[in-house]
Amino acid sequence: MDGTRQLVTLVRDGNLSGQTTPIVGLEPVRRLRIACVYRNFNGLGSIHSLFKRDAERLTRDADVRALCMSRTRAETLAPISFVSVDPLLSGSDRVRYAVECASFARRADAAVRALHGSVDVVFSEGFATTEADLVRVHSVRLAETEHYFRQVEPRARLRWVRTNIARPQLAVVRAIEQRLFAKRPLCVVPTRRLASQLVDWHGFHPDLVTVVPYGLDTTRFSPDPGERARLRDELGVPPDRFAAIFVGSGFARKGVERAVRGLAACGVVDAELWIVGADENLSRFERIARECGVRDRVRFVGTRSFSELPGWYAAADVFILPSQQDTAPMTVTEALATGLPAIVSEHADSSNVVQNGVNGFCIAGSGQPDEIARRLEELADATVRQRFSARSRMSVMHLDYEVVYPRLYELVCAAARRKASAG
């Protein structure tokens, strides 16, 4: 049996999860070798944290190389071998982000090809490279663009200009995705909606797409009365004051304005809204809060690291995300695990975890301020909120990372089998 067939047999039989495995008459079999690719290896964003956590967890079962930017690489105790892939430019504005995505993908492709023969499977986080065997798909940009113009701006003109010139980063990402998906890698997606979009928009056979929800650390994200008291004391917020929390970046898309207006319309006169995240147009949303007369009750606290988020959830009373467009945001399940009822829009694609009247409310469309206000008023009642809280945490316990991880690793092994059998 040659090395390739030996690898296929051992992956199929599940024997690649340990250290070197001796087999009579054969050379010792090495562990599966995985190249994980994404721009950022740190805890400063949901996808960044997911990439870091997966790479670290995979080291228990395989040898891992992480291909990422050197400047956004955090320290880790995991035995990961790093390959630096640095783009021409980096930045959050539209042009610099477009250049970052395009040049990183191009250089990551070259780095992956240079590893040919030394890795068994390439696992890409989204559109990081077009040379992947397994891709975790967080969104399908063609479907996302169509949804935007159908639901948000149905009367918009000059759509090509708006999506290719005004938003160059979107054009770049679509181009990378089309090249990537044309090669038909195995794909893992967090929701059935995304699976359908891959089939409908890119012609994937359903057998190539597997739904595996995002896992979360239900120990880290859990109710913590001590942390609640500590952070509220630090903020100068009384223990019994009702506080809603929003977590995310890209305030216009994720609905900060509607959340602010919902707070203004809410009858709970001392209720607060905490905005955790960043936006290049922050002054616009501060102005909206002033115009609504609630600037003193809206706290723009800025970006917080992944390690700080559990404390912010624990200190709040309800989570709110009235997105006009989103795909399975991890912040929703993090908040639910912490015991918060969630108020989300149907466009946040969280209908699989947020159940009306059970652990929160999934409101129509992008979420109108008056309905947001009504739900806030309902959840401001501590007795009602306590009833929701217990169900919130229970509703996501099946998403604990250690429960979800084996399904992900199974797909990594499937991608290795597929690659080996293709020669």
Side-chain angles (χ1 to χ4, degrees), residues 123-140:
F123 178 18
S124 178
E125 201 71 62
F127 53 87
T129 176
T130 68
E131 298 288 337
D133 306 301
L134 174 65
V135 181
R136 193 202 313 269
V137 180
H138 302 286
S139 63
V140 176

Side-chain angles (χ1 to χ4, degrees), residues 329-344:
M330 285 178 274
T331 53
V332 177
T333 52
E334 291 167 356
L336 291 171
T338 315
L340 300 185
I343 301 172
V344 302

Side-chain angles (χ1 to χ4, degrees), residues 31 44-45 69 129 137 161 206-207 248 252 274 315 321 332:
R31 302 212 306 169
L44 298 180
M69 295 191 292
T129 176
V137 180
V161 173
D207 289 347
W274 304 341
L321 187 69
V332 177

Side-chain angles (χ1 to χ4, degrees), residues 245-247 254 319-323 326 329 331-332 343-345 348 350:
I245 187 170
F246 165 99
V247 180
K254 289 183 178 284
F319 176 79
I320 182 167
L321 187 69
S323 292
D326 225 330
T331 53
V332 177
I343 301 172
V344 302
S345 70
S350 299

Side-chain angles (χ1 to χ4, degrees), residues 104-116:
F104 180 90
R106 183 181 180 88
R107 292 179 175 183
D109 287 351
V112 168
R113 288 193 292 268
L115 293 174
H116 178 72

Side-chain angles (χ1 to χ4, degrees), residues 78 128 130 139 152 160 181 192 234 339:
T130 68
S139 63
V152 181
W160 188 92
F181 294 151
R192 289 188 297 272
E234 181 181 305

Side-chain angles (χ1 to χ4, degrees), residues 104-176:
F104 180 90
R106 183 181 180 88
R107 292 179 175 183
D109 287 351
V112 168
R113 288 193 292 268
L115 293 174
H116 178 72
S118 63
V119 296
D120 303 306
V121 60
V122 177
F123 178 18
S124 178
E125 201 71 62
F127 53 87
T129 176
T130 68
E131 298 288 337
D133 306 301
L134 174 65
V135 181
R136 193 202 313 269
V137 180
H138 302 286
S139 63
V140 176
R141 289 319 192 278
L142 292 175
E144 197 175 74
T145 303
E146 175 62 24
H147 173 272
Y148 179 84
F149 285 118
R150 186 177 66 250
Q151 299 290 343
V152 181
E153 290 194 72
R155 299 179 182 178
R157 298 181 180 180
L158 302 175
R159 294 187 180 185
W160 188 92
V161 173
R162 291 166 64 88
T163 56
N164 292 278
I165 305 301
R167 300 180 66 190
Q169 78 278 22
L170 180 58
V172 165
V173 171
R174 282 207 315 268
I176 296 171

Side-chain angles (χ1 to χ4, degrees), residues 91-95 97 166 169 249-252 277-285:
S92 58
D93 64 89
R94 295 180 180 187
V95 174
Y97 183 68
Q169 78 278 22
S249 296
F251 291 173
D279 191 279
E280 59 184 8
N281 295 314
L282 175 61
S283 59
R284 174 197 166 201
F285 297 96

